[in-house]
Amino acid sequence: MTQTSKNIAIIGSGLVGSLLSIYLKKNGHSVTVFDRRPDIRTIEFSGRSINLAMSNRGWRSLREVGLEERIKKIAIPLDKRAMHVNDKPVYFQKYGKEGEAIWSISRGILNRKMIDLAEEAGVVFRFNEKVWDINLPEAKIFTGESEKSEWKEYHYDLIFGCDGAFSRVRHKMQRRSRFDYSQDFIDVGYKELTIPPNEDGTHKLDKNSFHIWPRGRFMLIAMPNIDGSFTCTLFLPFEGEVSFESITTEEEAKGFFKTYFPNVRKEIENLTEDFFKNPTSAMVTMKCYPWTYWNKVALVGDSAHAIVPFYGQGMNAGFEDIYVLNELIKKHGDDWDVIFDKYQKQRKPNADAIAELSYRNFIEMSSKTADPLFLLQKKIEKWFAAKHPNKWIPVYSRVTFSERPYAEALAIGDRQEKIMQMVMGIPDIESKWNSEEVESRILELLSSKQP
């Protein structure tokens, strides 16, 4: 179904705002993107980035507008985790079946590319223009130098809020009656560090792995870049015995890395300089509802559902919002009331599900990945899934290598976890993990109504 051309404003020039602008432009609309920040193509990136992990949902959204192959040129496929446990050799865990991989992309490089592609499509960007207020019923936005300066008024047919976890658009919607909103910060922050390339431009670590140094309450991760470097992220509690608060000098920083990350500290460029130069950032889960106001305003991406980054699904979930929105546009044409209503009802349960899964994955990545029983459980699941691919798909694969709803992955994953807890209780499971007895027990539990 075709649409009547509308004059549309998008607030926020990040990944979701840029991709949404391309979709809307291809649907024949006039699109202007506002951002309070400078054009990131003209500045050095902020030093607070976690590399992106593009997976099936994100690629589908890019494929729909013909961008998949262009973006793959700036990405590196990762088909496994590389686990760095002190006093043990590095060991690898394959993510999925042969050929399945997540793709590492620098956030800054991707965002610059998406803005270029949006401009190519005819989208207008207004950088350094701060939106201070939104008139929701009339789809008007007001911009100015400051809250107290003289404002400029713009009138649009539709406004999309893609301005992140602390969205100005959502802030205005929060003042409406019966608007539900919550935010939860975890007590762990993160800081960006860098592993430079070798002198010949090659990677110092395996370039097709997602590297993890699990240390219980904290961890370090590293993801490759196309220039041979790795973007590292240190996740550490804000306060406590081992925390950002407890590391205040260069000597304390060096001691921390020598104690907990001895096999990588020499690789990290300007370790103490990066540690004190780059900001310590917080992580929040943000939920709200409704996501739309009449047929005038809608929230997309983090402004509707910010999540912690431990499933690598924040960008993928935001891109999937756009894909779903576009499918509804195809079906319902100019009926924006129906499009917005179905969009929020379809996406809200899935946003809540990936928020829950993302938090759980933090616990798994930081503490369980070094636990022998957890590793055995994963080995049993992989073995059983290989024998019965139609009966058992691991929850990670359901989220990462599938386009089925997140809510479905959460529900099935919870049932599978209950089954595995029973299996792990089988006497002498360590020696008989791949036996006919274990296979029969899993099949029996799957066919029963319990658990």
Side-chain angles (χ1 to χ4, degrees), residues 2 29 42 75 167 173 193 260 264 349:
T2 56
H29 301 292
T42 66
S167 165
M173 291 170 71
L193 303 167
Y260 295 107
V264 76

Side-chain angles (χ1 to χ4, degrees), residues 31-102:
V31 185
T32 305
V33 179
F34 290 82
D35 202 304
R36 60 180 42 232
R37 301 166 302 177
D39 183 343
I40 68 160
R41 295 170 298 181
T42 66
I43 57 171
E44 187 181 340
F45 214 58
S46 65
R48 62 195 319 149
S49 175
I50 300 172
N51 265 33
L52 303 161
M54 186 84 76
S55 57
N56 286 36
R57 298 166 200 274
W59 290 125
R60 177 178 66 167
S61 303
L62 291 169
R63 192 180 312 127
E64 181 72 10
V65 283
L67 300 180
E68 180 181 21
E69 293 310 314
R70 293 177 77 172
I71 301 304
K72 278 191 170 171
K73 290 176 182 172
I74 56 171
I76 297 175
L78 314 181
D79 61 358
K80 58 193 173 299
R81 289 172 170 171
M83 307 302 303
H84 300 258
V85 179
N86 279 347
D87 305 321
K88 288 185 183 177
V90 177
Y91 61 93
F92 298 93
Q93 299 171 329
K94 280 278 190 182
Y95 273 127
K97 295 180 289 194
E98 198 61 39
E100 289 182 333
I102 60 174

Side-chain angles (χ1 to χ4, degrees), residues 53-204:
M54 186 84 76
S55 57
N56 286 36
R57 298 166 200 274
W59 290 125
R60 177 178 66 167
S61 303
L62 291 169
R63 192 180 312 127
E64 181 72 10
V65 283
L67 300 180
E68 180 181 21
E69 293 310 314
R70 293 177 77 172
I71 301 304
K72 278 191 170 171
K73 290 176 182 172
I74 56 171
I76 297 175
L78 314 181
D79 61 358
K80 58 193 173 299
R81 289 172 170 171
M83 307 302 303
H84 300 258
V85 179
N86 279 347
D87 305 321
K88 288 185 183 177
V90 177
Y91 61 93
F92 298 93
Q93 299 171 329
K94 280 278 190 182
Y95 273 127
K97 295 180 289 194
E98 198 61 39
E100 289 182 333
I102 60 174
W103 293 67
S104 174
I105 310 181
S106 158
R107 180 182 294 273
I109 289 172
L110 179 59
N111 204 165
R112 291 176 182 127
K113 182 70 173 174
M114 294 300 295
I115 293 170
D116 283 344
L117 292 168
E119 283 189 337
E120 269 181 39
V123 175
V124 174
F125 284 82
R126 301 185 69 94
F127 295 105
N128 291 307
E129 189 150 359
K130 299 173 182 174
V131 175
W132 294 105
D133 198 12
I134 300 100
N135 179 320
L136 299 172
E138 297 180 30
K140 290 180 180 176
I141 62 174
F142 300 88
T143 70
E145 280 298 307
S146 71
E147 278 192 287
K148 295 184 178 176
S149 68
E150 189 177 337
W151 287 351
K152 191 172 181 181
E153 176 184 313
Y154 297 90
H155 182 250
Y156 289 93
D157 298 312
L158 296 164
I159 297 171
F160 287 93
C162 303
D163 46 342
F166 304 103
S167 165
R168 176 69 59 166
V169 181
R170 190 193 64 243
H171 179 70
K172 185 68 176 185
M173 291 170 71
Q174 282 171 231
R175 300 181 188 181
R176 311 298 300 187
S177 176
R178 300 178 66 204
F179 186 93
D180 291 324
Y181 169 76
S182 70
Q183 68 176 33
D184 292 288
F185 286 93
I186 58 173
D187 61 2
V188 171
Y190 71 90
K191 188 180 287 285
E192 182 187 317
L193 303 167
T194 304
I195 294 177
N198 291 314
E199 286 187 14
D200 63 358
T202 57
H203 293 82
K204 284 194 164 105

